[in-house]
Amino acid sequence: MKRLLPFPLLSLALLATWLLLNQTLAAGHVLLGAVIAVGGGLALALLQPPGPMVRRPAAIAALAWLVLVDIVRSNVAVARIVINPGHRRQTSGFLDIPLELRDPAGLAVLACIITATPGTAWARYDSAQSVLTMHILDLVDEDTWIRTIKDRYERRLLEIFG
Amino acid sequence: MSATLLAGAIAFAQVLLALAMACAAFRLLRGPRAQDRVLALDTLYVAAMLLMLTFGMREANALYFEAALVIGMLGFVATAALAKFLLRGEVIE
Amino acid sequence: MSHAAGLPSFVAFVIALLVVLGAVLTLIGALGLLRLRSFYDRVHAPTLGTTLGTGLVLIASLTLFSALQSRPVLHEILIGVFMTITTPVTFMLLVRAALHRDRSAGRDPAAEGASRSQGRPPEPRPE
């Protein structure tokens, strides 16, 4: 089992993608999808990716929900800034944030979260000092932003990727 | 009644998306720098993809979905390659 | 639109609302490309369209097709998953490319921002 499905989650995702693309649950397509899923898993195993240890599905679900809520909230905030930028002064800028998160997979997830949220963008990461530089559209209170990133995201990512 | 409402809403959404594409096209032509143009291209293809989806809703035809998926995938590859080109001056190193 | 005639008016209303809202957000994002001043500001604008804009239109399309065919039509989820994964990658690459080009032109906007925040060193909160 382990040899046939070295990455069960990836294989499951491939099977789901295949069935969704074909809009069917017919036995033939399930079989074909299963072949693709197993083949994809074996192909990835040949690449020998450094397998990140993912734990705590509950924490992952909580983080996903949090990110969804934040994306909706910042959509509204950025839309407001775009619609009337006239009366406000230039408030965007870069901000340095020291991180405790070291795991590459965790950092990748953090980068995706920050960039996918309107109003914040990942600019660069200094791995020697583990300092993240990000660009923020509405940089009024730097401490609030630092606390947001560290408390809301980094703490949970440390729990998940540890 | 519900058909008229839906048709009107979809047509309105299509006008908005076309306007969004026009904004992106303006930034694409205007620049001023290469990164602005690539960003505009990204916005352009996302709006085009959504336009395809609304056409699919209008015609109740699932084929438009395939077109939207292809636009999304090719758009991503194009923008990523262009960004990579800006980063290094060449795509394949 | 004759195919939508049999749709319950409540469902039609929800779909109409979702598709218009998604298009409005996408338009605001594209408008931000024109109205915001610097490139680094403008990077934030299209994310409106790629996150919530796309999401709302996808949900609208998903609801419409599911209601029309009276079975769950879920393949729109694929576009959603695909956009969620790819958009941050392109934007990160683009910001890095812009920083790189600015640096090689002799300016480093990120370093200026960093020096500004060095006046008040950001203390990591004690955990």
Side-chain angles (χ1 to χ4, degrees), chain A:
Chain A
M1 199 63 195
K2 182 82 185 160
R3 261 184 44 209
L4 203 57
L5 289 172
F7 299 96
L9 276 178
L10 174 91
S11 295
L12 194 67
L14 278 175
L15 178 61
T17 308
W18 181 259
L19 294 178
L20 277 174
L21 269 178
N22 287 291
Q23 294 278 311
T24 177
L25 277 174
H29 273 301
V30 173
L31 195 65
L32 197 50
V35 170
I36 290 171
V38 171
L42 292 178
L44 184 61
L46 287 180
L47 294 176
Q48 298 179 323
M53 286 301 292
V54 177
R55 287 167 298 225
R56 301 177 189 239
I60 295 176
L63 182 68
W65 174 249
L66 195 73
V67 171
L68 193 69
V69 171
D70 282 358
I71 283 180
V72 173
R73 263 217 310 243
S74 45
N75 260 282
V76 176
V78 172
R80 218 174 258 162
I81 292 178
V82 168
I83 288 174
N84 54 358
H87 68 92
R88 47 190 310 136
R89 301 255 323 120
Q90 168 92 16
T91 52
S92 63
F94 287 90
L95 178 63
D96 282 1
I97 299 180
L99 290 182
E100 285 146 60
L101 190 65
R102 296 281 188 285
D103 184 78
L107 284 169
V109 173
L110 184 63
C112 282
I113 293 174
I114 289 178
T115 313
T117 315
T120 53
W122 178 283
R124 66 179 168 201
Y125 175 70
D126 182 351
S127 55
Q129 297 167 23
S130 71
V131 170
L132 152 72
T133 306
M134 55 190 271
H135 187 265
I136 298 174
L137 184 58
D138 191 17
L139 186 62
V140 180
D141 187 358
E142 294 177 4
D143 295 339
T144 313
W145 277 108
I146 293 175
R147 229 175 303 126
T148 308
I149 300 296
K150 291 195 79 72
D151 279 6
R152 278 177 90 81
Y153 303 136
E154 195 194 6
R155 192 164 50 79
R156 287 177 171 81
L157 283 170
L158 279 172
E159 260 176 51
I160 295 171
F161 291 99

Side-chain angles (χ1 to χ4, degrees), chain C residues 50-122:
Chain C
T50 54
T51 54
L52 210 52
T54 309
L56 291 177
V57 174
L58 286 175
I59 294 173
S61 166
L62 196 144
T63 320
L64 178 67
F65 280 105
S66 300
L68 285 179
Q69 304 181 10
S70 5
R71 67 182 179 95
V73 175
L74 299 175
H75 60 338
E76 276 84 357
I77 292 177
L78 283 179
I79 291 189
V81 170
F82 188 73
M83 291 303 286
T84 317
I85 297 173
T86 56
T87 318
V89 176
T90 24
F91 285 168
M92 256 182 288
L93 259 178
L94 212 50
V95 171
R96 270 185 55 199
L99 279 175
H100 173 75
R101 282 165 64 90
D102 275 349
R103 258 204 307 276
S104 46
R107 288 178 300 131
D108 192 354
E112 284 161 28
S115 65
R116 200 178 70 176
S117 57
Q118 266 165 17
R120 194 157 34 114

Side-chain angles (χ1 to χ4, degrees), chain B:
Chain B
M1 173 56 204
S2 64
T4 329
L5 172 78
L6 200 54
I10 290 176
F12 182 54
Q14 284 178 332
V15 171
L16 295 181
L17 288 172
L19 279 175
M21 286 178 77
C23 289
F26 182 75
R27 181 53 80 191
L28 180 68
L29 295 174
R30 179 95 184 277
R33 306 200 62 199
Q35 53 263 41
D36 284 301
R37 293 178 209 267
V38 179
L39 186 67
L41 184 71
D42 193 85
T43 320
L44 190 72
Y45 90 73
V46 170
M49 189 190 76
L50 295 183
L51 199 59
M52 274 297 145
L53 282 174
T54 53
F55 271 117
M57 291 170 74
R58 200 160 109 175
E59 314 277 328
N61 189 340
L63 261 186
Y64 285 97
F65 165 82
E66 320 271 332
L69 195 62
V70 170
I71 291 179
M73 290 186 153
L74 287 184
F76 163 65
V77 174
T79 341
L82 283 170
K84 186 77 180 56
F85 178 75
L86 293 185
L87 201 59
R88 286 278 183 265
E90 48 195 320
V91 177
I92 299 162
E93 297 180 66

